[in-house]
Structure formats: structure tokens, C-alpha cells
Amino acid sequence: MAFISFTFVLSLILVVTLSSAQLRVNFYSRTCPTAEFIVLNAVVTAVRSDPTMAAALLRIHYHDCFVQGCDGSILIAKTGSERDSPSHAGLRGFEVIENAKTTLEAMCPGVVSCSDIVALAARDSIVVSNGPNYQVPTGRRDGRVSAKADASNMPDAADPIQVLKKKFSEKGLSVTDLVLLSAAHTIGTTACFFLENRLYNFPPRGGADPSINPRFLPELQGICPKNGDVNVRLGLDRGSQFAFDKNFLDNVRQGFAVLQTDAELYQDVSTKAIVDSYFGFLSGLLGPNFNGDFVKSMVKMGQIGVKTGTDGVIRKNCSVLD
Ligand code: HEM
Ligand SMILES: *[C@@H]1O[C@H](CO)[C@@H](O)[C@H](O)[C@H]1NC(C)=O
């Protein structure tokens, strides 16, 4: 009897410590009931005046999570911080996070973390792009470190598929997660900068990446001419850059992927099979469901290296380290 109650108490302690170290849905329901609404409102307002903002906000969450965990370290605006790294080139939309934070600090000072705002804004960006809605586990706390050097291991636009798999696996993400999360490129744009080598100097022989559909190549080269303006932007999901949909994966299948890394998803046996599974006979019904699986991978990405409980801080200003 004494033994039973001892193990019972032990497991109780274990459950309590485990759950305090975990995120949970509606974390702010009592401490700041309007938190999620305030973030949604900031996202809707931003996307209404600039429809490209949804993609920008989704991307911030990914870049936040892959360096130092999802802890808002990407938001720090200081020389030498993460944001200074070329691995984060083109990130934008930070002012939307700031706007939400300003409202939140007025409503519930010191309660809602910047990293949670980023995670919620990513979800809301998917929703306003007609993608799936889902519940975001919250309770992240913000990091106290943001260093340029920490970003050097981000996946790179020229990484071979094996390297991408390795970098994702180091974050606890599977090959399936790699395919699904890459499909976030169903919205948004890239600068021609990231296509230069793919269009004109593709290794080992130079010239264009042979995996580009011959019908697509002249189109890409027209938008991004050799030695042209590398800041010109084009949609990552040809024909559907504002809608969150499966069209991106279809483009990958047809040789219409814009980024080299997205094209690679169809050149590797295991990732190809995953892409194809969303177009199978049963897909969506009994087979794999793109929206549902994407959400699972997003929630998983949102847990990378999170700080909870008494770890980290709740920043007052998302751009400034406490
Ligand atoms: C597999 C590794 C990945 C690589 C190599 C990669 C690379 C890139 C590159 C080069 C751009 C263009 C940046 C610019 O010119 O501004 C981009 C944009 C974007 N990425 Fe990724 N990415 C990866 C994974 C992800 C993941 C996991 C997500 C989110 C879950 C994501 C979301 C986005 C979004 C939404 C954009 C569009 C941003 C905008 O329109 O401003 N990416 N990515
Ligand atoms: C947050 O800090 C940044 C950088 O110092 C500053 O520009 C901004 O005005 C601050 N925001 C608020 C709401 O104080």
C-alpha cells in the first residue's frame, strides 16, 4: 500500500513537471483571454493593406524555430543578432508582430510572449490564405540570446536533399515533415537572387537545372534574366502565390518548382513518394490529407526547443532583449 501511494505520488510529480514543461492550447485563456484575437486582428489588418504579408509572417515562425528554438530570437533588431545573418535574408513583417505586441502590452502587460505571437501569427496567415485552421499550443517564453553566428546552419536554398533531411532531423523533424513544411512555399515569393545559379550556373555543368520543366525555363529566365536585378520577386507557387493549397506540390511534380530545394523533393525516392501520396487514388479520403498533415508538421515545428515554465522571459518589446 505504502509502495503504491509512493509510486502514485512519484508519477503525479512527473506528470506535473512534464506538463509545466509543455505547451498547451489556450494557454492565455485566463491570463489574457483576448490574446489570440488581438494577434488575428493584427494579421488581418496587415494582410488587408499588403497581401504579401501572410507569407512573410509564416516564414518568420520557421526562421524563429530553426535557430535557438521557437523563442522569438529572430525578432531582435540589434547589430550582430540573428537577423543580421545572410541565412535570414529577405525576412520581413516584423512590424506586424510589434503591432500585436503593443496592443497586448496595453491589454495584459507582461503576459504574452513574442514567440507565441509569432506562432499564432503564422497560423492566422495560413487561415487568411484559405488554408486550414488549427489550434496552436502556446506558453512559449522568449529567449535571451540572439546571435548572428547561431543562424549559420539554417537550410540553404542550394542544399542537396540529404543535407535538408539531416538539418530537419537535427530539429526532430522527419522526412515527411520536410516535404510538408516545404509546402509552406504554397504562398509567398522569392527574390531572383536565389535562382541565379539554378538558371545560369547549375552544378556540375553550368547552364540551367535540368529538372526545370522546359516550358517553365523561359518563363523563369524572362522574370530573372542573366545579370538582371536580383531583387525582382516571383511567386514560389506558380499561378497560386496567395492561396494556401496543394497546387504547390502539383507544381513540384510537374517541374514547376521555383526553388532548387523544392524541386529536389521530387528527385529523391523517399520524398517523391511522400509528394505523390497526396495525389493518390485515396488521398484526402482514407489516404493522406495534405491540410491535416501540414498542420501536424507545423505544430511539431512550433515545439522545437521551446522554453517554458521558468525558462526564458516575457519580453516587453519584441525587438529588444531583456
Ligand atoms: C526546406 C528548407 C527551406 C529552404 C531552403 C527555404 C528557402 C526559402 C527561400 C530562399 C525563400 C525566398 C526568400 C526571399 O527571397 O525573400 C523562402 C521563402 C519563404 N519560405 Fe522557405 N525555405 C525552407 C523551408 C521553409 C519552411 C519550413 C517554411 C514554413 C513552414 C517556409 C516558409 C517560407 C515562406 C512562407 C516564404 C515566402 C516569404 C515571403 O513571401 O516573404 N520555408 N524560403
Ligand atoms: C521597441 O524597440 C524598438 C527598438 O529599440 C523601438 O524602435 C520601438 O519603438 C520599441 N517599441 C515600443 C512599442 O516601445
Side-chain angles (χ1 to χ4, degrees):
M1 186 65 191
F3 176 72
I4 290 171
S5 54
F6 178 69
T7 42
F8 178 75
V9 170
L10 246 186
S11 50
L12 205 68
I13 291 169
L14 198 70
V15 167
V16 169
T17 39
L18 274 182
S19 57
S20 72
Q22 272 172 1
L23 307 180
R24 71 183 152 82
V25 169
N26 291 325
F27 182 83
Y28 299 109
S29 60
R30 273 184 305 169
T31 51
C32 190
T34 52
E36 299 206 8
F37 175 75
I38 288 169
V39 176
L40 174 64
N41 197 43
V43 171
V44 168
T45 306
V47 174
R48 198 175 288 147
S49 69
D50 177 359
T52 71
M53 246 340 133
L57 292 167
L58 173 53
R59 187 171 181 234
I60 290 178
H61 186 40
Y62 157 57
H63 282 252
D64 186 26
C65 292
F66 263 63
V67 184
Q68 290 278 346
C70 316
D71 71 343
S73 51
I74 190 68
L75 305 173
I76 303 305
K78 200 180 59 177
T79 315
S81 67
E82 270 179 38
R83 249 204 251 176
D84 263 1
S85 165
S87 306
H88 296 312
L91 276 183
R92 60 205 178 88
F94 298 109
E95 66 281 7
V96 182
I97 306 297
E98 278 296 347
N99 288 343
K101 180 63 169 174
T102 304
T103 312
L104 285 165
E105 283 304 299
M107 293 291 285
C108 348
V111 171
V112 182
S113 67
C114 298
S115 38
D116 276 344
I117 298 174
V118 168
L120 293 166
R123 184 266 314 270
D124 297 338
S125 299
I126 293 166
V127 172
V128 301
S129 308
N130 274 322
N133 201 348
Y134 60 96
Q135 295 193 301
V136 180
T138 42
R140 293 171 191 78
R141 291 168 64 88
D142 300 324
R144 317 174 91 140
V145 177
S146 178
K148 180 179 170 179
D150 293 338
S152 59
N153 208 28
M154 277 298 288
D156 185 87
D159 276 345
I161 189 77
Q162 297 308 335
V163 174
L164 293 176
K165 285 182 184 178
K166 182 162 178 286
K167 287 180 175 176
F168 272 63
S169 120
E170 281 163 5
K171 301 292 169 193
L173 298 171
S174 67
V175 175
T176 305
D177 296 322
L178 167 63
V179 172
L180 288 158
L181 291 169
S182 296
H185 293 157
T186 175
I187 57 172
T189 56
T190 177
C192 285
F193 174 82
F194 293 104
L195 289 183
E196 275 194 306
N197 287 347
R198 186 165 193 233
L199 294 179
Y200 303 107
N201 194 16
F202 195 73
R205 278 181 292 280
D209 177 347
S211 78
I212 302 172
N213 187 310
R215 282 191 291 135
F216 193 32
L217 183 61
E219 189 180 317
L220 284 176
Q221 291 180 326
I223 301 169
C224 304
K226 191 168 189 171
N227 303 321
D229 180 355
V230 294
N231 295 311
V232 170
R233 303 191 69 85
L234 68 157
L236 290 165
D237 183 10
R238 180 180 184 260
S240 169
Q241 75 167 74
F242 293 109
F244 189 100
D245 55 23
K246 221 169 65 167
N247 186 63
F248 169 81
L249 289 181
D250 204 27
N251 274 335
V252 167
R253 277 154 57 95
Q254 317 276 339
F256 286 91
V258 173
L259 293 180
Q260 176 190 322
T261 48
D262 291 339
E264 285 169 16
L265 298 174
Y266 215 59
Q267 292 155 34
D268 170 85
V269 179
S270 62
T271 51
K272 178 177 187 291
I274 296 162
V275 173
D276 283 337
S277 73
Y278 293 101
F279 297 88
F281 191 55
L282 294 173
S283 80
L285 294 164
L286 301 164
N289 174 278
F290 172 67
N291 277 353
D293 290 353
F294 176 82
V295 163
K296 280 188 211 144
S297 293
M298 274 299 282
V299 169
K300 207 166 151 192
M301 183 179 85
Q303 322 255 0
I304 298 174
V306 290
K307 299 164 177 69
T308 54
T310 51
D311 272 1
V313 295
I314 305 295
R315 271 181 225 142
K316 293 250 176 299
N317 180 329
C318 292
S319 331
V320 182
L321 280 178
D322 274 350

